[in-house]
Amino acid sequence: MSSEHKNRLAALRACLAATGLDGFIIPRADEYLGEYVPPCADRLAWITGFTGSAGLAIVLAGEAAVFSDGRYTLQLQQETDPDLWERRHIIEDKPEAWLRAHAEGKRIGYDPWLISPEGLKRFAGVELVPVQSNPIDEIWADRPAPPLAPAVPHPEEYAGESAAAKRARLAAKLREAGQNAAILTDPASLAWLFNIRGADLEFCPFALGYALLRDDASALIFMAPEKVTPALRAHLGPEVTVLDRAALPAEIAALKDKTVHLDPATQPVWFEAALREAGANIAAGPDPVALPRALKNPTEQAGARAAHLRDGVAMVKFLAWLSQAQGETELSAAAKLLQFRAQGELFKGESFAAISGAGEHGAIIHYRVTPESDRAIRPNEVYLIDSGGQYLDGTTDITRTIWTGPGEATPEIRANVTRVLAGHIALARAVFPAGVAGGHLDAFARAELWRAGLDYDHGTGHGVGSYLSVHEGPASISRAAKPVPLAAGMILSNEPGYYLPGAYGIRLENLVLVQPALFPKALKPFLRFETLTLVPFDRALIEPALLSPEALDWLNAYHAHVYEALAPQLDNPARAWLEAATAPI
């Protein structure tokens, strides 16, 4: 592939030179700026070879660099050619600093559909030139076609609130703020607000499109007509008009003198430029759907519990099978887990490609096994399996770290797994006042690792949608998180880890639901976490002496709860395996 990527890079440079550009910024993004992109928009992978879900490249006439975060450090090195690309850490090395150091007096192009206003501001001080058409598209001869899967109604029995009620609720907020309309570009926002789902992305049930919500609760949806069925039009009702995306510029131009809500952090800069050209007044602020979407209603909370019960049954069947399996590989194990999940009611697919990493592959934080990288799961090693399911009533995400046996794990491995577990338990047990953000809690999960001089280069937790994306904002648990207070109804992951390159990886992940913590004499509201995931931790990797009495009590209580919830759903041998796996420690 190196020669192929060398030719592609040369072709891009020739295209840039022909249009009078000295360089080009290539984000890992589509025109909706989501984490997951369809194959036709995976330009970063096409030009660099890097397939991670977060990154950015900058191409100049004589230099080129590709950036990603700590989850992908090893993957970036493995998938890109060092003769073509400088490989950089996106936080430590900052693309804007690299570009300023290399681009003095140069004209740097960017695609205004693929970067937000805030993203563009990072490159202040550089002469930036918007392009009418993306030069990569011009040289990508076999570029896949855009996805055109039908958009479908999402039943209210799972959504818990009608689309009309949601529109009315958000329209009232617009009126309170003196705003006439809000632009929505996140497919998750469209999915939630209009109670629709789709199949345009591999792991997210999204129907790609844009929307304009007005202050009278009417709305426009801009979506390819091939995606719109009579059933969808009937579901949306008379107050929602569906138009082809080609109608978007004219509708934006019609907003002259209107006050329009725009999220400069998550929406393409094209919208900002178009609104300014139209003479609209821009009211900058977060996506108005993001927070309401994150606050799961009682129906969605009940659905999450039900989905995790079914998911737990599948995971226990898988772990019981794995404990007896021989000759399996990373791919065959992931396929078996998918087979167990598919037996559950309301299952629609995986929520992401399973991270099935044995031994040294587990140290690649977002490892994605391929037929080329697949290897046997061997005796007496660490095996990490991070996976999840999409169910009509909820989305799951779970990681377990397994010792394959039959021998015992080394004291070092047991100690490190137990330190990660201690951090997981500390976060699971956290009680905190309302107003606390995820960044304030991140250290809970790291403290035991820090005491041993260890750490992990990723966030501790991300938001999770309700039959939506497995990664959902606006809240997260991370040192780099925006200061969004956690609130009752949010679902987040709790996933500390530790990774020893070339040897093994450890990650222990449950999903948690933020709930009120009731203290009769408290002078202000407090919150706690309800753990949703129902799967035991591998006792072969736990060193009880390294857990505090409170942590050990939590672990035993959790395992007892897992057994009580799952045992009635299981037959032997899975039930017998579960009984042994959840016995008190």
Side-chain angles (χ1 to χ4, degrees), residues 485-497:
L486 302 188
M490 290 180 174
I491 295 176
L492 301 109
S493 67
N494 171 4
E495 52 179 310

Side-chain angles (χ1 to χ4, degrees), residues 160-183:
E161 183 181 10
S162 71
K166 292 177 180 180
R167 293 199 321 275
R169 190 151 59 96
L170 268 63
K173 293 287 187 183
L174 291 177
R175 293 194 298 273
E176 289 174 16
Q179 298 168 7
N180 303 112
I183 289 173

Side-chain angles (χ1 to χ4, degrees), residues 322 328-331 333-334 354-364 367-369 373-386 400-404 500 502-506:
L322 185 66
E328 300 297 332
T329 72
E330 294 166 331
L331 274 178
I355 299 170
S356 178
E360 72 284 356
H361 285 168
I364 304 172
Y367 172 68
R368 183 167 181 176
V369 59
S373 70
D374 187 29
R375 79 159 180 81
I377 301 173
R378 302 172 189 135
N380 298 319
E381 69 175 356
V382 175
Y383 171 60
L384 185 152
I385 178 70
D386 183 350
R400 288 296 181 265
T401 302
I402 308 300
W403 180 250
T404 58
L500 184 61
Y504 59 85
I506 302 162

Side-chain angles (χ1 to χ4, degrees), residues 283-331:
D287 180 340
V289 174
L291 184 58
R293 184 184 68 222
L295 302 177
K296 278 62 178 179
N297 61 44
T299 298
E300 292 171 319
Q301 293 182 32
R305 294 186 190 98
H308 278 87
L309 180 65
R310 295 190 297 275
D311 207 63
V313 168
M315 279 295 302
V316 166
K317 288 179 178 179
F318 168 75
L319 293 172
W321 167 84
L322 185 66
S323 70
Q324 301 298 316
Q326 295 182 345
E328 300 297 332
T329 72
E330 294 166 331
L331 274 178

